[in-house]
Amino acid sequence: MDKITFCIPSKNNLRYLKTCIPSIRKNAFRPDHDIIVFVDSDNDGTVEWLRKNKDKYEVTYFVNPKLGKELYGIGKAYDYCIDKSTTSAFMIFHADMILGKNAD
């Protein structure tokens, strides 16, 4: 199986990311898939949580350069994650999703 990138946009989704990201690490058949999160809005501590947990969960994250002023929106946020991906395959994943056992 090829390595894939999970592309996850987030707009104040900390409560979901705390379940979503660990589910990928726990349930993926292949343990080294990439995870990229794009933070479009952060009124709930998302950036701080990602900063503290990026090494634990091996997550790469990017923050909207116009944070608090202008939203990218979900489509542009997915495009951003895909552009940053270095794998030939990626999975569009919502922050409120949980990966099932060996779903990859």
Side-chain angles (χ1 to χ4, degrees):
M1 152 180 282
D2 291 338
K3 184 175 178 179
I4 63 174
T5 300
F6 286 83
C7 298
I8 309 170
S10 174
K11 180 182 171 192
N12 302 314
N13 288 131
L14 177 60
R15 67 186 184 271
Y16 298 123
L17 290 173
K18 286 180 174 181
T19 303
C20 172
I21 292 170
S23 81
I24 295 169
R25 290 296 176 228
K26 178 182 177 189
N27 295 326
F29 175 77
R30 185 171 170 156
D32 65 337
H33 291 309
D34 291 339
I35 300 174
I36 297 177
V37 176
F38 181 83
V39 180
D40 201 11
S41 182
D42 178 19
N43 295 322
D44 60 0
T46 298
V47 173
E48 180 64 18
W49 185 83
L50 287 167
R51 185 187 64 74
K52 288 180 180 177
N53 290 282
K54 67 183 172 114
D55 295 332
K56 177 179 180 180
Y57 295 116
E58 299 178 56
V59 174
T60 301
Y61 68 94
F62 299 93
V63 179
N64 179 343
K66 295 181 179 182
L67 189 67
K69 296 178 184 146
E70 184 178 314
L71 295 173
Y72 266 51
I74 193 168
K76 192 173 176 182
Y78 275 128
D79 289 345
Y80 190 96
C81 292
I82 292 164
D83 286 343
K84 295 296 183 181
S85 172
T86 59
T87 60
S88 60
F90 54 87
M91 183 175 286
I92 299 299
F93 215 72
H94 291 273
D96 64 351
M97 295 172 82
I98 296 172
L99 189 70
K101 189 73 173 164
N102 298 328
D104 52 334

